[in-house]
Each structure stands twice: as C-alpha cells, then as structure tokens.
Amino acid sequence: MGHPAILTVDDDPAVSRAIARDLRRRYGDSYRIVRASSAAEALEALRELKLRGGRVAVILADYRMPQVNGIEFLEQAMDLFPNARRALLTAYADTDAAIQAINVVDVDHYLLKPWDPPEEKLYPVLDALIDAWQATGDRETEDIRVVGHRWSEPSYEIRDFLARNLVPYKWLGADEPEGRRLLEAASVGPESIPLVVTADGRAMAQPTTTEVAEAVGLSTAPGRDFYDLIIVGGGPAGLGAAVYGASEGLKTLLVERRAVGGQAGQSSRIENYLGFPDGISGAQLTDRARRQAGKFSAEVLTTRDVTGLRPDGSARTLTFADGGEISAHSIVLATGVSYRPLIADGVAELTGSGVYYGSASTEGPSCAGTDVYIVGGANSAGQAALFFSRYAKTVTLLVRGDSLESSMSYYLIQQLNKIDNIRVRTRCEVLSAQGNGHLEAITICDSKEGVSTTVECGYLFVFIGAEPRTDWLGQAVARDEKGFVYTGPDLLSNGTRPKGWNRERDPFYLECSVPGIFAAGDVRANSVKRVASAVGEGAMAVTLVHRYLEAQ
C-alpha cells in the first residue's frame, strides 16, 4: 500500500474538497489523502485499506453528517484502525455539542471550520496528531498477548501495567480456545497464568512487571551513573520537571515505580486543564508529556522502586529496592499520593477480583450490563462515574459527606446530574464485600436512613483519601504527621531555619529541609491538589534547581 493514509469525511462537497486540497499540499508527498463524502463511504474505504494491509495515521470526520454523525462514525472506525489518531471537524455553533459528544469517543482534537489560514489552524494540529501516531506506530494489539483469568489479581496487575504504560496488547481468557492453545504451546497449565507472549513469540509465565517492562522495551536501567537532576515519580509534577529540566540542558532522569502519569494518568477525562477545552484523557496527556520529555533526551525508568535517600557531600543519592544506587546534584520528589485502602471486611481479599483502586479503565468493557459502585466524592470519582456509565447498567457513587459540592468541581456535578444511569448516595459507607473468588455483593451503611443493606455488585472502584506513601524517606527530609513533605516557608519556625540547614539563606520555596532536594505536586505539604498546579510546581522546581546549582 505504500504511504499511510489520512482519511477525511465530510458530506459538504465544498468543505470536503477544501480540506483534501490543503492536506495534499502539506502531506501529499508522504501520505495518501483519502476523501469520502459520507460515513458509509468512509467506512468502506477503511475496510478496503484494512483488507489490503494499509495503514491509517489520522481520521478527520465532520461532526454533523446525516444518517451517521462524526462521533458515531469514529466509534466504528476505531474498530478497524484503533491506533489512528482522530479529530472532529465542527462548526462554531456545534462546539458545545461536540465537546459533550467527545466524551463518548477518545477524540484527540477538534477543528473549527473554516480553518483559514491552514498554516496556523490546521497544520499544527495535524502535525501533532501525526507525531503521536508515529510515536506509537500502528502496531496491532496482537503483538503482545496476555493469557489470564478475568478474576485473577495477578492477571489484572499485568493488564493494568501494560495499559497504564500505553503498551498495546491482546487479552485472552485462559478458557478460550486461543488462550488454551498458547498455554499448551508454552507447556504450562492454567495455574501458570498470567502468561505473556511477546511479539517475537517468547512466552513468560507469571512474569514480574519488571520482566514485562524489559520485554516490551521500557527502560529499567539508567544510562549513566550521575545526573544533574533525578526526579522521583512520574505524575504531572514529575513529567513537568522532566520536560523543563531536560529542555534546559540538565542531564535528567525520571524514576517511576509503576507507570508514568500517576493518578492523573488513570483519569478518563480531564476537562479543566488549561488549553484543552474539549478535555483530554489522562492517558493522552501522559503520552504527550512522556514523548515531550523524550524529545529533550530525558531518561525515564519504570518498575524501579526507590527505597532511600541520603546526602553524599555535594551529591544526593537514591537507593533502589534491588540494592542499586544512583546519584545526582539535585533531586525532585514528585511521588504524588495514593488512594487510601478501604477498610471493610472482605475488601482486601477481593482486591483485583472485582475491587479496584483508581479507575482501572481496562475493566470498562467487562462492566457491560452490571451494577458498578464507586466509593469517593472527589473529581477522580466523578470522572470514573462518567467513564463507567458508558458500559454499566447503573453506576452508584457512595459518598461519606452530605453532598458533592464540597469535594467535586461544579462542572462534574452538572455532568453527573444529566446521565440517567448514574446516581449519588450521600452519607453512605461500605461495611463489607462478599464473593466467592470474585466480588458479588457489598453491604452499605446508610447513616441518613440508619439502615444497612446488601446489594449485588460486580465491580467496586475506590477513590478515597490521599496518602503520600513517603515512609521510605525516613528522617532524610522533614515531613508532617501525615507524611507530606515540608518545603520552603513551611520549614521556618519563627524565622528559624530547619535543624541541620547549612546554607546562609532560607530554603527556596519548593526546597526541602536538605539543600538540593525539592518537592513538587501532591506530595508537598499544603499543595493544591490539581493537575495544573502539579505541572506548574514541576516547572518551578527546575528553576529553583538552577538557582541551587549556580550557588554551588
């Protein structure tokens, strides 16, 4: 087939000709421009491309088309070319409707008609979409196959790890014919799940996430012994610091225990982040930030668990769980927060088998036709409710407080109120979870009514509390009673600098109780728990790192 395709579909002939002309002018040498005048014609073209082994980089669809609108078309197109980047063409009058509809399909962008001049309003968007497609390629999900059981916690851990690291894979049940065939070919039985089969045919039974990371090409070992800057944690604050640090010439390493993106990376839709009026999924934002950091040569390590931090003269040294060490001139702590465990009978035993922490988007399709319960009343819980409402029969938010207003953004509350299969129950707590091998029911205490009831429940997603999980720091830096890291002005007591401080200056705003160690984002005491503020603090930390290094 030669060049990959850019497909555009619009039922207005004049618009269709215009966008095809502009696309050929810019991309005609490297891409085949395919033009369709209806969704049916476009789907037929995509099917033909699929049959002939073609590749599709970008799909542009008009929002308002007869019979099948742009959103409905893109839903069907995703089945044929799931890795193609998707954009919606819309008139200004349809912008609000398009933004609402985008929640149904993970659209990468929308373009307003007309897009004149294309050099400003069309090409930059297409360039970014093509860059993103080229970065992920058009690998089929069959490249990596995971064989497991739906209710197996280790199977879920591997699927979740791959999904959060944006690694395409195909899931096969151990009781399905192809799953059984792969188990037999690997000479293992169902007791050896999960089985991961790589693109080159290598089979790994019950692998660790580190083994899987190495097999799929994720970096797990640093490229040098010493850096200017090491960032611990790959959420928005860590990624922000990595982008700014590397772009400003610092030899930068980001170390992440599980997957870049943090809690924000698990969000199905972030709608209040500046510059994305149609919203952006956490996975998309993470993907863009990771590629941006890589563009500036920042190194990113995954599956490396940091267990200690100590000053070594002018250096700052991190120790890993495997006994390894790495040093740098400066450190940024950006480990974020984790969801607090739900303390209720049966919950721990069923975690990974119907009980999940965070949105666990891999479970979305499996929720079809079931009753889903979500514990929590903050934005992350609201975003999860919107996501799972696409699949589940009902979604119920269980909130301890009297209302959502004190903990959730207004725009999210408004969206929840408009969806028929979402309901909110206030002043409710989960007392227990029951099930034989997987979650089947939960018992809920309703303090408003003064009663406890047991309800059928196939999936329970937990979004409660915010624990920094900084015990590994020990006495290395000052923390509050909850474990959040003190920085800057919070370290001063009546103008007195922290114990052991050895500089003739006060700590910089994001600097910890040890010079050269900084904290950014949710892990920092008294920080604003928002994606935008975390990214901003990550960038600010790099500015302060420069000031620290200049004074050395």
Side-chain angles (χ1 to χ4, degrees):
M1 288 296 293
H3 296 320
I6 297 175
L7 181 140
T8 172
V9 52
D10 197 305
D11 65 310
D12 185 323
V15 173
S16 181
R17 286 193 298 269
I19 193 166
R21 178 199 64 219
D22 288 341
L23 292 175
R24 289 193 184 99
R25 183 185 305 158
R26 174 75 169 230
Y27 306 104
D29 291 341
S30 303
Y31 292 85
R32 179 185 175 192
I33 309 304
V34 179
R35 180 166 70 94
S37 58
S38 69
E41 184 182 333
L43 286 171
E44 185 59 34
L46 289 174
R47 292 189 187 101
E48 181 68 19
L49 284 166
K50 188 75 173 180
L51 288 171
R52 298 174 63 186
R55 297 172 295 157
V56 178
V58 178
I59 301 173
L60 303 173
D62 181 41
Y63 172 65
R64 184 179 289 188
M65 292 189 293
Q67 284 83 49
V68 178
N69 67 33
I71 290 291
E72 294 166 339
F73 162 72
L74 287 174
E75 281 190 283
Q76 297 177 59
M78 286 170 64
D79 293 334
L80 294 166
F81 289 95
N83 297 307
R85 297 292 164 160
R86 300 171 290 278
L88 205 61
L89 300 171
T90 181
Y92 183 80
D94 293 327
T95 300
D96 289 342
I99 290 173
Q100 292 298 323
I102 280 169
N103 288 319
V104 178
V105 179
D106 201 8
V107 173
D108 296 284
H109 210 284
Y110 76 85
L111 289 161
L112 287 176
K113 297 185 290 186
W115 51 84
D116 188 54
E119 289 76 13
E120 293 180 13
K121 298 183 178 179
L122 176 65
Y123 298 151
V125 173
L126 264 292
D127 288 345
L129 295 177
I130 288 171
D131 285 347
W133 177 79
Q134 289 175 337
T136 57
D138 52 357
R139 297 167 292 178
E140 294 295 331
T141 57
E142 289 81 4
D143 280 358
I144 297 167
R145 288 161 290 177
V146 180
V147 182
H149 190 280
R150 176 183 175 185
W151 300 118
S152 160
E153 182 178 359
S155 298
Y156 163 72
E157 289 292 332
I158 293 298
R159 288 190 294 131
D160 186 60
F161 175 78
L162 291 171
R164 290 182 60 184
N165 280 284
L166 308 179
V167 178
Y169 70 94
K170 183 177 182 180
W171 165 254
L172 299 165
D175 54 353
E176 297 175 7
E178 189 175 353
R180 288 196 298 266
R181 182 181 63 79
L182 287 174
L183 289 171
E184 290 171 5
S187 300
V188 297
E191 72 282 353
S192 297
I193 62 169
L195 176 74
V196 176
V197 182
T198 62
D200 58 5
R202 181 158 62 97
M204 298 184 293
Q206 298 179 324
T208 65
T209 53
T210 299
E211 290 170 337
V212 172
E214 292 170 348
V216 301
L218 297 175
S219 180
T220 60
R224 61 177 72 237
D225 296 325
F226 196 89
Y227 292 83
D228 296 318
L229 171 64
I230 297 177
I231 302 149
V232 185
L239 286 167
V243 168
Y244 279 89
S247 69
E248 294 173 9
L250 298 177
K251 295 181 177 61
T252 302
L253 174 71
L254 186 151
V255 182
E256 170 53 48
R257 184 171 58 91
R258 184 163 179 81
V260 293
Q263 286 190 11
Q266 294 180 279
S267 175
S268 57
R269 179 70 53 180
I270 301 169
E271 297 187 71
N272 57 357
Y273 188 57
L274 184 67
F276 294 91
D278 52 342
I280 184 169
S281 72
Q284 286 178 312
L285 187 62
T286 296
D287 180 40
R288 295 181 184 189
R290 184 172 63 179
R291 288 190 288 109
Q292 195 172 13
K295 169 186 174 182
F296 296 119
S297 300
E299 289 184 45
V300 178
L301 301 188
T302 55
T303 68
R304 296 305 298 269
D305 196 3
V306 178
T307 57
L309 169 61
R310 70 175 187 271
D312 275 341
S314 61
R316 304 290 177 259
T317 298
L318 294 169
T319 57
F320 295 122
D322 61 5
E325 294 187 348
I326 191 76
S327 298
H329 289 302
S330 58
I331 302 287
V332 171
L333 303 174
T335 49
V337 294
S338 300
Y339 294 117
R340 192 170 67 242
L342 175 61
I343 307 302
D345 290 342
V347 167
E349 293 80 2
L350 294 170
T351 297
S353 301
V355 177
Y356 304 97
Y357 288 87
S359 62
S361 58
T362 55
E363 302 305 303
S366 299
C367 293
T370 67
D371 296 311
V372 168
Y373 284 79
I374 294 173
V375 182
N379 280 8
S380 53
Q383 289 158 354
L386 293 173
F387 172 75
F388 288 113
S389 69
R390 306 178 200 168
Y391 304 96
K393 181 172 67 176
T394 63
V395 176
T396 303
L397 271 167
L398 301 176
V399 184
R400 284 187 69 177
D402 294 325
S403 69
L404 291 173
E405 277 71 15
S406 62
S407 57
M408 189 178 291
S409 295
Y410 176 75
Y411 78 91
L412 268 177
I413 296 174
Q414 296 300 104
Q415 289 186 30
L416 294 174
N417 290 337
K418 293 176 182 177
I419 298 179
D420 292 337
N421 66 334
I422 294 178
R423 60 176 179 160
V424 179
R425 292 183 58 180
T426 58
R427 295 177 62 184
C428 285
E429 297 182 55
V430 174
L431 295 181
S432 65
Q434 301 93 43
N436 183 17
H438 63 87
L439 181 67
E440 297 173 348
I442 58 173
T443 299
I444 302 168
C445 173
D446 187 329
S447 60
K448 235 181 347 186
E449 304 293 333
V451 296
S452 296
T453 55
T454 298
V455 296
E456 290 187 5
C457 174
Y459 290 87
L460 179 69
F461 298 94
V462 182
F463 298 83
I464 56 173
E467 294 185 341
R469 306 288 173 87
T470 54
D471 290 348
W472 64 274
L473 285 168
Q475 302 300 314
V477 297
R479 298 176 291 144
D480 68 14
E481 66 280 359
K482 294 181 180 178
F484 291 95
V485 178
Y486 282 128
T487 59
D490 290 336
L491 290 166
L492 303 177
S493 177
N494 297 321
T496 303
R497 294 165 184 159
K499 182 180 179 181
W501 186 259
N502 59 1
R503 294 293 193 277
E504 293 301 318
R505 60 169 176 81
D506 290 344
F508 295 135
Y509 184 71
L510 299 179
E511 197 167 21
C512 301
S513 57
V514 176
I517 300 175
F518 300 82
D522 290 359
V523 75
R524 192 176 67 81
N526 302 315
S527 64
V528 177
K529 305 299 189 280
R530 287 289 184 269
V531 174
S533 60
V535 173
E537 288 193 7
M540 185 193 305
V542 172
T543 299
L544 299 176
V545 165
H546 280 296
R547 290 176 62 184
Y548 168 77
L549 294 177
E550 288 166 2
Q552 288 296 94

